[in-house]
Amino acid sequence: MHTPAELSAQHFDSFGTPALVFAAPGRVNLIGEHTDYCDGFVLPAAIDFKTLVAISQRTDGRLVVQSVNYSERLDEVLDPFLDRRFRDLRAGAETHWADYIAGVLWILRQHGVPVADGFSMTVEGDVPLGAGLSSSAAIEVATACAVLGATSFDLPLEKTAQLCRAAENQFVGANVGIMDQFVSCFGALDHAVMIDCRSLQYTLVPIPSDVRIVICNSMVKHSVAGGEYNTRRAEIEQGTAILHLHRPEIRALRDATLEDLDRWGSEMPANVFRRCRHVITEDNRVLAAVNAFQHGDLSRFGQLMHEAHVSFRDDFEASCPEIDLLVELADKEPGCFGARLTGGGFGGCTVNLVAAEQVEGFTQAMRTGYKQGTGIDCEIYISRASAGAHQIVPE
Ligand code: ADP
Ligand code: MG
């Protein structure tokens, strides 16, 4: 990964214009899975893996983007390209890396940001792609900040997060909640971010200094993921509609209690009942986990992570054997307070809370155990909770 100064130099070599450089991080979700689109609570942290966008304005109306990760260059007339790509994606075209950038330009254009003169961009990230650490939000937020910065257009950060989500929903066509883009915007050094996904009020929760966030990448992503994700969304909607019939103030599962589910859950198919039970109990676990962090009670926090994983595995049925093995191995390790799948499901990464002085032994044991169990070399990242999106000011 290039430093911002190197990326800026590469941009200058390619385009002959000086660049502004912006960074936005990926994220790891400590607890609160599939609660964001139910208006509930989540507790992610930004990680110190990020996407950098170097940008300069053009005058010829073109969008020229070079991707360092893909060693590819996009060169199009901006306005018609956005419209054409939007139509193609709706007609079922396969997603391309440039769509995340185009989607952001498309939504910013709708909100009055002057994009028609065009931009040159050089883009590089070190968030593992498609591993559940939200490289997609990182590239969206970095692009949005870059375009807003280059055009000196004032937009509140909360609105930026919402528009990046809208770009992913409406342009790319992935029906994600607000968590990823929000924490990529609002992350803070050594803090997790508790987000109320209804009001978008958030609380920074200090992460105790004697633990490390250790992320284990299973290196698998099962192909069912996209389809199953949409099935889960439909199941949640079905369950919510039944509860809403009985108690109209239940607009999302955030408003429902376990008592509601006990009373009316028998009207739901068994799978729908279990999906709802996961979301309702998960909201409670997020609130309890924030409390545990605030009291420095790492054992309690870890126990809640464990319960969250069991619920995600058994009630939400969104885990997979490789991830379950990583969690099982971690649970046996001294110094590991808790482990769970993080992200949408069906592969990707686990997040582990590990005592700082035991991290080395932990990573060693995880590598060996996972290799023995699956034949796969896992990747392990030790990350500090990091700052959200920002401009990199040259020294
Ligand atoms: P995740 O968000 O879990 O990493 P997604 O499938 O949501 O997985 O998003 C990954 C996609 O985002 C990549 O396949 C690529 O198209 C795009 N992307 C992310 N980061 C970059 C980057 N640095 N450069 C180009 N495209 C990127
Ligand atoms: Mg993503």
Side-chain angles (χ1 to χ4, degrees):
M1 173 89 171
H2 294 97
T3 64
E6 288 164 351
L7 197 74
S8 187
Q10 185 175 339
H11 186 91
F12 190 85
D13 283 349
S14 305
F15 298 110
T17 45
L20 302 177
V21 182
F22 294 79
R27 63 98 188 95
V28 63
N29 190 16
L30 299 177
I31 193 163
E33 222 61 79
H34 286 260
T35 45
D36 60 351
Y37 57 79
C38 299
D39 279 359
F41 303 100
V42 291
L43 186 65
I47 53 179
D48 53 15
F49 295 86
K50 60 193 156 312
T51 295
L52 298 175
V53 174
I55 190 167
S56 53
Q57 279 193 292
R58 300 178 67 96
T59 51
D60 61 359
R62 300 191 79 82
L63 174 64
V64 185
V65 187
Q66 44 187 20
S67 160
V68 176
N69 294 80
Y70 288 88
S71 306
E72 275 177 31
R73 185 182 173 106
L74 173 97
D75 187 346
E76 299 275 356
V77 181
L78 188 144
D79 264 323
F81 170 68
L82 300 185
D83 299 327
R84 189 179 80 234
R85 206 48 209 154
F86 178 74
R87 281 197 307 273
D88 289 352
L89 285 166
R90 295 292 77 67
E94 214 176 293
T95 312
H96 185 265
W97 61 264
D99 293 329
Y100 293 83
I101 292 167
V104 168
L105 287 163
W106 176 82
I107 199 92
L108 290 178
R109 184 178 70 177
Q110 279 177 45
H111 285 77
V113 180
V115 300
D117 286 347
F119 302 95
S120 302
M121 296 186 199
T122 307
V123 180
E124 182 176 14
D126 63 0
V127 186
L129 304 178
L133 301 176
S134 213
S135 69
S136 57
I139 192 171
E140 289 154 8
V141 171
T143 300
C145 291
V147 170
L148 294 168
T151 55
S152 303
F153 194 94
D154 226 6
L155 199 69
L157 197 54
E158 182 182 310
K159 186 75 182 167
T160 303
Q162 288 172 313
L163 292 185
C164 287
R165 177 202 180 181
E168 188 156 343
N169 290 167
Q170 297 168 30
F171 192 92
V172 177
N175 206 5
V176 297
I178 187 67
M179 169 171 67
D180 300 355
Q181 292 81 8
F182 195 91
V183 68
S184 184
C185 286
F186 287 95
L189 191 65
D190 293 331
H191 288 72
V193 186
M194 200 275 270
I195 308 164
D196 176 334
C197 296
R198 172 169 282 162
S199 67
L200 292 188
Q201 285 185 338
Y202 69 99
T203 312
L204 296 183
V205 186
I207 297 179
S209 58
D210 47 348
V211 287
R212 296 289 171 271
I213 300 169
V214 182
I215 299 163
C216 297
N217 188 345
S218 70
M219 311 303 285
V220 300
K221 184 79 191 172
H222 292 283
S223 57
V224 294
E228 290 288 329
Y229 183 88
N230 289 332
T231 310
R232 294 295 175 279
R233 299 267 327 225
E235 290 166 331
I236 295 291
E237 269 173 35
Q238 195 185 342
T240 308
I242 290 168
L243 296 176
H244 176 79
L245 277 180
H246 295 285
R247 225 168 41 83
E249 59 272 34
I250 299 178
R251 288 185 286 137
L253 284 186
R254 153 43 173 305
D255 305 308
T257 63
L258 278 179
E259 290 71 51
D260 295 325
L261 197 62
D262 276 345
R263 265 178 92 178
W264 299 303
S266 59
E267 296 172 26
M268 301 173 187
N271 56 326
V272 172
F273 174 84
R274 290 202 310 277
R275 308 302 182 243
C276 293
R277 185 166 61 186
H278 165 75
V279 173
I280 294 170
T281 56
E282 186 83 346
D283 269 334
N284 296 337
R285 281 187 290 271
V286 173
L287 298 176
V290 170
N291 192 272
F293 255 175
Q294 285 166 341
H295 290 89
D297 190 345
L298 292 167
S299 303
R300 174 79 183 129
F301 194 98
Q303 184 197 348
L304 289 160
M305 287 174 81
H306 179 79
E307 288 168 16
H309 185 72
V310 170
S311 173
F312 201 56
R313 182 190 67 200
D314 297 345
D315 271 354
F316 215 69
E317 294 185 90
S319 188
C320 64
E322 295 87 352
I323 290 285
D324 289 340
L325 175 64
L326 283 175
V327 170
E328 227 172 85
L329 290 167
D331 280 343
K332 280 192 249 165
E333 282 308 304
C336 177
F337 292 101
R340 53 177 287 278
L341 188 160
T342 187
F346 308 103
C349 295
T350 60
V351 55
N352 307 265
L353 208 60
V354 184
E357 74 277 6
Q358 310 250 31
V359 164
E360 210 159 301
F362 177 82
T363 55
Q364 200 66 43
M366 294 301 291
R367 282 185 212 287
T368 313
Y370 191 64
K371 178 84 176 177
Q372 272 171 2
T374 61
I376 303 170
D377 290 307
C378 61
E379 282 183 4
I380 299 184
Y381 324 110
I382 299 156
S383 178
R384 228 173 144 171
S386 299
H390 55 281
Q391 183 175 1
I392 312 258
V393 183
E395 283 154 23

